[in-house]
Amino acid sequence: MRRGGGAAAFADAVDSDDVPRAFTCPITCALLGDPVLAADGHSYERTAIERWLSSHATSPRTNATLDHKMLTANHTLRGAIEQWSERHPSR
């Protein structure tokens, strides 16, 4: 897999047979179905991060205090996961 970010990293991830780590929730360790971006810059499964944020004001990855608790849908990541899932239906 090429190093770096952006479209090239997603393209490589879609071609990989292994579930890319970026496609899994750091809280549940499961494939993301509804990825959202939190204030810490990381993506999480919506229900998992909402549950976390109901009793924490920190990042589950870094434990740093979050500037806010707003979540933004990560459409780019969701699209990449959908492409990967289509190529790997047994996953």
Side-chain angles (χ1 to χ4, degrees):
M1 187 192 286
R2 282 178 278 195
R3 297 287 176 218
F10 280 131
D12 285 345
V14 169
D15 291 336
S16 173
D17 286 333
D18 297 326
V19 176
R21 193 168 134 179
F23 290 3
T24 60
C25 176
I27 297 172
T28 66
C29 298
L31 187 66
L32 291 161
D34 186 11
V36 293
L37 191 63
D40 63 359
H42 297 284
S43 290
Y44 301 92
E45 181 62 30
R46 182 182 297 278
T47 56
I49 191 66
E50 285 176 342
R51 189 170 41 250
W52 173 270
L53 293 174
S54 70
S55 60
H56 299 85
T58 58
S59 164
R61 291 203 69 176
T62 66
N63 206 34
T65 301
L66 297 171
D67 291 338
H68 58 80
K69 291 186 176 185
M70 293 184 309
L71 303 173
T72 303
N74 192 333
H75 299 292
T76 303
L77 180 57
R78 186 177 188 150
I81 293 168
E82 288 172 354
Q83 285 181 350
W84 184 87
S85 295
E86 288 171 5
R87 294 184 182 180
H88 303 88
S90 63
R91 300 280 178 154

